Amino acid sequence: MTFLELAEKVLKEVQRPLSQEEIWRIAQEKGYANQVGSKGKTPWATIGARLYVDIRNNPNSKFTKTGQRPARFALKEFAGAETTFAEEPIISTRTTKHNYCERDLHAFLTYFAYTYRKIYTKTIYHQPSSKDRYAQWLHPDMVGVYFPLHKWEQEVLEIAREVGNLMVKLYSYKIKRELTFSNLREAFFQAVSNSSWAHQGYIVAAEIAHDEQFRDELERLSSSFGIGVIKLDINNPDDSVILIPAREKEFVDINTMNRLAAINPNFREFLRGIKNELTSREIRKEWSDRVLSAEALIQSMINVEKRHA
């Protein structure tokens, strides 16, 4: 049985939309999972990738995607059925650690930031300025910018320039593979240190501890320092979410921005890109990280798992 056949069988029986993890869990409960030839370490991710590709490329696909965060799949014949699936908890089926590194998460954050609010992101490589002894406290892993250009008329934009109120928002991101008690305080101190130049600063992770004591400390630190938290979902990018919103600063730290621009060419390019887009009123994106599709992101993680299998 192929993964698409398995998905079709499960969805036909339940007659309601399911997430990729829910499809796999039900397949395990019913014994269908044993009929799939090759499973790998993350079979639910493979199911999601196959469904995404089939929906996108096959005009006669039997499947449809419904909703976001979480995204679910259904057979077209049952897609309109009334259900209460949005109220059901998402059950994690992951039993093994993934083999990805923090750099693998950059593309997932780029996708989330763009689909969430059309924030354009750029990776800041530390190597060009690694001689700075305080580099780890100065450099964000990624930066982002939100432009109001698509919302404003040209006349309004010109007046905003004159009065110094362009409403451009700058973002700073510190990325961690996982966030637990062992690295929570260090992650927050790094995020606070390297986000003073931005309107909002975030810690981003794919694996975040769930216990109540940890979440209480996470919320306490976020409330104290204004740093937000983003949870990336590497199995289904559309399920990524802002767990705790960042507290927005009215004024940014120009001195820190200038210091970072002076020692890092990636950050200088980021600032030049913003200036050029505002001048031309046309977002060309050459200076920002490429936004991959959700299917491509899922496949990238499948490839990572294959390399470490």
Side-chain angles (χ1 to χ4, degrees):
M1 183 185 298
T2 67
F3 281 107
L4 284 180
E5 290 170 341
L6 180 143
E8 180 182 0
K9 187 174 182 67
V10 170
L11 291 171
K12 182 172 290 187
E13 291 184 6
V14 300
Q15 298 186 16
R16 63 180 175 83
L18 297 172
S19 70
Q20 58 193 29
E21 292 196 350
E22 290 169 330
I23 292 173
W24 182 248
R25 173 173 57 84
I26 292 174
Q28 286 180 308
E29 292 173 352
K30 292 180 174 290
Y32 304 152
N34 297 328
Q35 301 177 37
V36 178
S38 176
K39 300 185 183 65
K41 294 183 178 180
T42 55
W44 51 91
T46 304
I47 290 173
R50 299 288 189 272
L51 288 168
Y52 270 113
V53 172
D54 189 71
I55 292 169
R56 182 192 63 186
N57 297 339
N58 180 8
N60 299 316
S61 175
K62 300 176 181 179
F63 307 97
T64 184
K65 175 176 168 287
T66 177
Q68 284 192 355
R69 300 184 179 95
R72 284 178 166 87
F73 303 94
L75 290 175
K76 288 179 178 178
E77 57 184 302
F78 302 123
E82 292 187 8
T83 68
T84 58
F85 68 90
E87 305 298 326
E88 297 178 0
I90 300 173
I91 300 176
S92 176
T93 57
R94 186 171 65 199
T95 57
T96 59
K97 285 283 187 180
H98 288 287
N99 294 298
Y100 59 86
C101 61
E102 288 175 356
R103 186 58 57 81
D104 293 321
L105 298 177
H106 285 221
F108 283 82
L109 177 57
T110 293
Y111 176 85
F112 172 74
Y114 184 77
T115 57
Y116 177 71
R117 202 194 171 190
K118 281 191 166 50
I119 295 172
Y120 297 88
T121 62
K122 183 174 180 61
T123 294
I124 302 299
Y125 294 98
H126 296 196
Q127 289 82 355
S129 50
S130 59
K131 292 181 181 180
D132 191 308
R133 61 180 298 187
Y134 301 109
Q136 65 170 324
W137 303 104
L138 180 64
H139 293 76
D141 294 317
M142 293 184 72
V143 295
V145 59
Y146 168 76
F147 296 104
L149 302 183
H150 65 289
K151 290 185 175 181
W152 289 6
E153 298 296 329
Q154 179 63 34
E155 293 79 6
V156 176
L157 186 64
E158 290 174 358
I159 291 176
R161 280 202 194 95
E162 293 298 324
V163 300
N165 184 23
L166 281 173
M167 295 300 290
V168 171
K169 299 299 181 186
L170 301 173
Y171 299 85
S172 174
Y173 303 101
K174 184 63 185 177
I175 299 177
K176 295 292 184 182
R177 185 181 182 279
E178 61 181 1
L179 201 57
T180 65
F181 267 123
S182 65
N183 69 342
L184 181 60
R185 288 181 176 274
E186 180 185 18
F188 260 92
F189 292 150
Q190 288 178 338
V192 169
S193 178
N194 59 40
S195 67
S196 65
W197 61 272
H199 293 99
Q200 293 185 25
Y202 281 93
I203 295 175
V204 183
E207 300 174 36
I208 299 179
H210 293 286
D211 63 272
E212 185 176 351
Q213 186 179 4
F214 174 83
R215 287 305 177 99
D216 287 344
E217 182 66 5
L218 186 66
E219 292 179 4
R220 187 189 70 80
L221 289 172
S222 178
S223 177
S224 297
F225 298 108
I227 299 297
V229 181
I230 295 174
K231 168 73 166 61
L232 296 178
D233 193 319
I234 62 173
N235 295 321
N236 189 346
D238 289 320
D239 286 354
S240 298
V241 66
I242 295 178
L243 291 181
I244 304 175
R247 186 165 61 241
E248 186 166 307
K249 296 189 286 288
E250 184 177 359
F251 301 105
V252 298
D253 185 348
I254 296 298
N255 288 331
T256 298
M257 186 183 298
N258 184 65
R259 183 183 174 195
L260 187 52
I263 67 173
N264 189 278
N266 303 135
F267 192 73
R268 287 200 301 274
E269 184 181 4
F270 172 70
L271 296 180
R272 280 198 298 268
I274 295 174
K275 177 180 179 297
N276 292 338
E277 310 298 32
L278 291 174
T279 301
S280 65
R281 200 172 183 262
E282 179 183 359
I283 301 178
R284 292 184 294 271
K285 306 179 187 178
E286 292 95 341
W287 52 270
S288 63
D289 291 349
R290 180 185 173 194
V291 181
L292 301 178
S293 66
E295 308 94 88
L297 292 172
I298 293 171
Q299 187 60 51
S300 72
M301 281 300 171
I302 293 174
N303 293 339
V304 168
E305 295 295 338
K306 285 181 179 178
R307 288 198 300 269
H308 292 85

